[in-house]
Amino acid sequence: MPYLLILPAGLWLIVFFVVPAVQLFATSLYDPSGSLATGYAMTGDLGNYPRALGDYWPQLLRSLGYAAVATLACLALGFPLAYAIALKAGRWRNMLLVAVIAPFFTSFLIRTLAWKTILSDTGVLVGLLRHAHLLGADGRLLATPFAVVAGLTYNFLPFMVLPLYASLERFDRRLLEAAGDLYAGPVAGFRRVTLPLAAPGIVAGTLLTFIPAAGDYVNAQLLGTPRTAMIGNVIDSAFLVRLDYPSAAALSFVLMFAILVLTVGYLRRVGAGALDAVS
Amino acid sequence: MADLRLTGLTKRFGALTAVDDLHLEVHSGSFFALLGASGCGKTTTLRMVAGLTEPTGGQIRIGDDDITRLRPYRRPVNTVFQSYALFPHLSVHENVAFGLRRRRQRDIDRQVADMLALVQLDGFGPRRPAGLSGGQQQRVALARALINHPRVLLLDEPLGALDLNLRRRMQIELKRIQTEVGVTFVHVTHDQEEAMTMADTVAVMNAGRIEQLGPPAQLYDLPGTPFVATFLGQSNLLAAHSEPGGENGELPVSAYGGRFTVPRDRCRAATATVYLGVRPEKLHLAGSPDAVPPGHQHVAGVVTDIAYVGVSTQYLVRTGWGTELSVFAPSTGAEERPELGAPVVAYWHSRHAFLLDRPDGAGDRTAPADLSVDVRA
């Protein structure tokens, strides 16, 4: 019976994920000297991996770094927001939740393009910052790492807020009264009670933010420069511009592997304990 | 010596006065119960002592220290919460150790083990609260509070979530633990049996004020107000008027044309408009006035309801005036058992009656057509 329930989604994943993934893996082993015109020979050559990594390791590290910073920024912005919505908003709760999801009503691309206007050299924000001498006379925001990370943070914030909200919503504030009664001040109460009980939401939120952010190329494309290119941009151009399929496929797998290793390491360190903390 | 002293304590929520100018002293080492119906202000009082609710006015002192405005985590009190509020992510051991760790105490493991032994949960340290029964969680909550050696331990309806048998066992258990550790317990409950079995002193609260305070036996034997008489156990209250005169320390009282007496020292009424009160178990039934033993007073009536509850039989007797009196006859095996509809007389000794003020002539409708008596049974 459970198999019957898994079947539709399972078939979908097999057809549209497993088969293409296997195909992609096969592509990563093609002879790199081939081309669309001459065709690719399947040589089983693992050399594509060290070659791709050797050429593009800076972009890979940059991707992971940007994604990590954006994830932390999402957590810093998202935790207080989710806390307020879950525990303080009262009858405004549903409206605020809708507001968190509202950006999804507009396309990802349009929203990111809008950030281009916000951060542009002639925009209000840059003008204000220059006026306040927080930015030099020729200082800029667009086409900087800040712009890319800000775009990632903006675009993935809801993926942080929603799981955090889900775990904080079940939080019993009487536990904080109990902590206060047992000599825990506000800081200790937060650290010893609120934070551990929100851990499942933090783990889910950070993964849902970090994983897509590490593979993103739209923000770097629209808000950055070649010097802020992420691994997604490299894969994008290898597939669509340079038509270097074996390298593109190899880089895709390198990225997947890197994320997998980081995720497993992360879950081992904080996640597993945190996730069963409340069970 | 008074350990906890509340002076003029008041809490208003908007237009609602939850606690109204409360004055209270709780002696060191005593087991004190605040008893009242829900909404009477007892939990608000407790929360103000714990520091979880800020008073609108008044003062809270522990010993010589004014703690009225102290943050909860700076007060020498600990609370056993009604919901227990155990930390679900921590083991039983860490729950109990929580307060000690916050105050960076030493020798935590041994103290926790001793405390778990006191509440009879040896070996439960590694378990999570979710894996415990209600009674066990209750013990953890108690251990978690007691381990900090509070000057005053506050218990907010601690047994409310337990089933009847377990509640009885925990009542005895709580009393044992209180005697053993000697900490002052302030216990909030709506359950009069719970208050009476455990507490040395019971304060009956109503509408934000204390109606009466004293040892349970004293409150029960001689309640001071109609509320106490009916909230703490049951009472038959007859609308009556006290009369002038009387001798041998007995005060004459008239009710519905009948004349009775009550000892002067059992009169708590300040005016002549009174309730004549008798507890249902202090009423006895006889077949006729001739069978009433000397020194007793009686009214005649008809049995209208009989409920057998094991330890006793509860009768309703409708008097000639239309009032129903509640009578509890213990099942001693020797008692007479009047049948439904049988004419009987209900009698009592005057030393078991009491007189209370009857506010604003309540129940004083003496029109011949309606001789109803305000009987609260």
Side-chain angles (χ1 to χ4, degrees), chain A residues 189-251:
Chain A
F190 179 78
R191 210 163 90 81
R192 303 285 171 186
V193 179
T194 314
L195 210 52
L197 287 172
I202 295 173
V203 170
T206 46
L207 288 180
L208 283 177
T209 309
F210 179 81
I211 294 172
D216 182 78
Y217 64 98
V218 173
N219 287 283
Q221 178 85 47
L222 297 178
L223 306 175
T225 64
R227 282 189 294 131
T228 61
M230 295 172 68
I231 195 71
N233 303 92
V234 176
I235 297 171
D236 175 55
S237 81
F239 260 124
L240 301 178
V241 181
R242 288 184 281 118
L243 304 179
D244 181 3
Y245 288 1
S247 295
L251 278 174

Side-chain angles (χ1 to χ4, degrees), chain A residues 172 174-186 188-189 192-193 196-197 276-279, chain B residues 47 50 52 72-73 75 77-79 81 83 85-89 98-99 102-103 128 144-145 148:
Chain A
D172 182 353
R174 287 176 297 187
L175 295 177
L176 282 184
E177 290 192 342
D181 189 68
L182 296 164
Y183 313 106
R192 303 285 171 186
V193 179
L197 287 172
D276 75 13
V278 281
S279 61
Chain B
R47 289 178 60 86
L52 303 171
Y73 47 90
R75 296 185 183 213
V77 302
N78 293 105
T79 309
F81 292 89
S83 59
L86 299 179
F87 303 122
H89 59 296
F98 194 91
R102 299 289 82 70
R103 289 182 302 147
R128 283 279 166 84
R144 185 178 72 170
N148 303 295

Side-chain angles (χ1 to χ4, degrees), chain B residues 235-286:
Chain B
S235 291
N236 294 300
L237 296 181
L238 303 176
H241 292 274
S242 57
E243 305 284 341
E247 53 197 28
N248 303 329
E250 296 276 317
L251 192 67
V253 175
S254 68
Y256 304 97
R259 297 187 66 83
F260 309 97
T261 63
V262 176
R264 274 187 197 284
D265 57 9
R266 293 183 62 81
C267 171
R268 289 297 183 91
T271 66
T273 310
V274 295
Y275 279 121
L276 169 61
V278 189
R279 296 284 188 184
E281 74 278 9
K282 301 288 167 41
L283 284 178
H284 311 282
L285 296 180

Side-chain angles (χ1 to χ4, degrees), chain B residues 115 118 146 149 153 174-185:
Chain B
M115 192 46 72
L118 180 73
L146 264 185
H149 302 292
L153 183 79
L174 266 178
K175 185 71 195 163
R176 172 186 72 79
I177 290 169
Q178 195 266 338
T179 314
E180 203 159 314
V181 296
V183 170
T184 310
F185 277 32

Side-chain angles (χ1 to χ4, degrees), chain B residues 60-215:
Chain B
I60 304 166
R61 299 176 75 87
I62 288 188
D64 294 326
D65 307 322
D66 183 349
I67 62 161
T68 316
R69 305 286 159 189
L70 276 189
R71 309 302 305 158
Y73 47 90
R74 303 211 183 281
R75 296 185 183 213
V77 302
N78 293 105
T79 309
V80 177
F81 292 89
Q82 182 174 14
S83 59
Y84 312 144
L86 299 179
F87 303 122
H89 59 296
L90 298 178
S91 64
V92 167
H93 181 280
E94 283 307 309
N95 264 281
V96 176
F98 194 91
L100 297 182
R101 291 210 193 284
R102 299 289 82 70
R103 289 182 302 147
R104 313 205 182 291
Q105 299 256 312
R106 289 165 175 225
D107 210 8
I108 288 176
D109 286 349
R110 191 192 50 78
Q111 290 193 55
V112 171
D114 287 352
M115 192 46 72
L116 287 179
L118 180 73
V119 299
Q120 301 182 333
L121 282 178
D122 320 65
F124 280 73
R127 306 261 287 262
R128 283 279 166 84
L132 303 184
S133 71
Q136 289 164 341
Q137 293 187 23
Q138 213 279 324
R139 287 158 194 266
V140 176
L142 181 65
R144 185 178 72 170
L146 264 185
I147 199 167
N148 303 295
H149 302 292
R151 292 280 296 277
V152 178
L153 183 79
L154 307 172
L155 302 107
D156 183 9
E157 302 268 5
L159 310 181
L162 306 180
D163 65 54
L164 190 61
N165 281 327
L166 194 52
R167 207 182 310 162
R168 291 247 165 82
R169 285 222 308 277
M170 281 306 296
Q171 285 170 12
I172 296 165
E173 185 75 13
L174 266 178
K175 185 71 195 163
R176 172 186 72 79
I177 290 169
Q178 195 266 338
T179 314
E180 203 159 314
V181 296
V183 170
T184 310
F185 277 32
V186 176
H187 173 221
V188 154
T189 181
H190 67 273
D191 182 335
Q192 48 115 352
E193 185 199 303
E194 198 175 296
M196 292 183 70
T197 31
M198 293 193 289
D200 316 315
T201 310
V202 175
V204 180
M205 269 189 91
N206 184 31
R209 291 174 165 276
I210 288 178
E211 291 254 340
Q212 196 180 356
L213 182 154

Side-chain angles (χ1 to χ4, degrees), chain A residues 119-151:
Chain A
L119 299 178
S120 88
D121 294 347
T122 53
V124 178
L125 185 60
V126 168
L128 274 176
L129 290 176
R130 281 180 183 163
H131 187 72
H133 296 288
L134 290 170
L135 212 56
D138 54 352
R140 51 188 318 211
L141 293 175
L142 198 62
T144 62
F146 171 82
V148 180
V149 170

